Structure formats: C-alpha cells, structure tokens
Amino acid sequence: MKRRLPAFTLTEVLVVLVIIGILVLLALPNLLPLITKAKSTEAKIQLEHVYTLEKTHFFEKSRYTSDLQTLGFVQEKLSTESESGGANYRIEIVNSSQTTFTARATAVVDFNGNGIFNVWEIDQDKNLREVTGD
C-alpha cells in the first residue's frame, strides 16, 4: 500500500525558478545605481580616514606628506589582486605640499559595466567630491 505524499514536481519547481530569474533580470538595472552608491561609501570613508591621518601629520610635522606609509595608512588588498581582497578602491595621495594635499580613491572595479571607473578626491579643507561618476 503506497501512499502518495503531497509535494511539488520537478517541473513546477523549475517553472518557479525561471520566473524568479526573469524578475531578477528585470529588477537588476534599477538596482545598479544603488549598488554603485553603496560601494562609493567605501571611498568616502577611506578618504576621510586619510584626511584625519594627514591632519595629524600636519600638526606634528607642520607639513603634509605624499607617503601613505608615513601616515600609517594600510591599503587593504584590492578585489582585483586576489580572491581574499576586499577593497574596491585604490587610495593614493596625488598632490602634497607644505600647506595642501589631495588624496584620490580610484575604483578598480567597473560597478555598472559601462567602462567608466568611479573616482573620488578629498583635500586639506575636507572638500570631498566625486571627480568621475560611475
């Protein structure tokens, strides 16, 4: 005496998965700007950290520096360098003098696939701006 249990067939499960896949493909283009905005938060936080380190260095030495190691800033491994890398932005100081500095965060990943990489900059007055939008 075989009793049949109520369950879904393989065909029903596959149809549901196809429908979910189509809905995700329809929603993905609307979500890409949100993903880019969330990832750019990493650049803003890192640049504000560099700003704080530069200000501390300025108060101690009376000048800004262009060397991240001198500041004590450690660049996390980039996501393009290894599987364990988590940073999406390369941080660098592009300009420094006795009274000014400019630090830049350049994306190493094209978040929305349009060929343009996101770039942010901060200066000695804590003016944070997006140079190139993704």
Side-chain angles (χ1 to χ4, degrees):
M1 192 170 177
K2 288 189 175 184
R3 202 173 76 167
R4 195 160 198 206
L5 297 173
F8 295 107
T9 65
L10 181 60
T11 306
E12 292 170 331
V13 172
L14 289 175
V15 167
V16 169
L17 289 176
V18 167
I19 291 171
I20 290 172
I22 290 170
L23 291 174
V24 166
L25 287 175
L26 291 174
L28 190 60
N30 295 332
L31 296 177
L32 283 176
L34 292 174
I35 293 169
T36 302
K37 185 176 179 181
K39 300 252 183 190
S40 67
T41 302
E42 173 189 342
K44 294 175 192 176
I45 290 171
Q46 292 297 327
L47 287 175
E48 287 176 358
H49 180 59
V50 169
Y51 168 82
T52 303
L53 293 173
E54 280 281 14
K55 279 297 187 184
T56 303
H57 185 269
F58 179 79
F59 293 139
E60 291 175 355
K61 310 281 185 187
S62 298
R63 69 171 290 118
Y64 294 109
T65 182
S66 61
D67 185 19
L68 290 173
Q69 287 183 331
T70 301
L71 295 175
F73 181 84
V74 178
Q75 172 74 58
E76 186 180 342
K77 286 185 181 179
L78 298 173
S79 58
T80 56
E81 292 178 348
S82 67
E83 290 181 19
S84 64
N88 293 308
Y89 287 86
R90 176 177 285 111
I91 308 297
E92 59 187 340
I93 299 173
V94 293
N95 178 16
S96 73
S97 69
Q98 188 154 352
T99 58
T100 64
F101 82 91
T102 305
R104 180 179 293 156
T106 306
V108 294
V109 177
D110 184 11
F111 302 123
N112 60 6
N114 65 354
I116 299 171
F117 292 85
N118 194 238
V119 178
W120 286 84
E121 285 185 352
I122 195 167
D123 63 14
Q124 71 283 346
D125 297 324
K126 204 174 184 179
N127 296 322
L128 182 65
R129 66 187 182 96
E130 187 175 28
V131 178
T132 306
D134 188 11

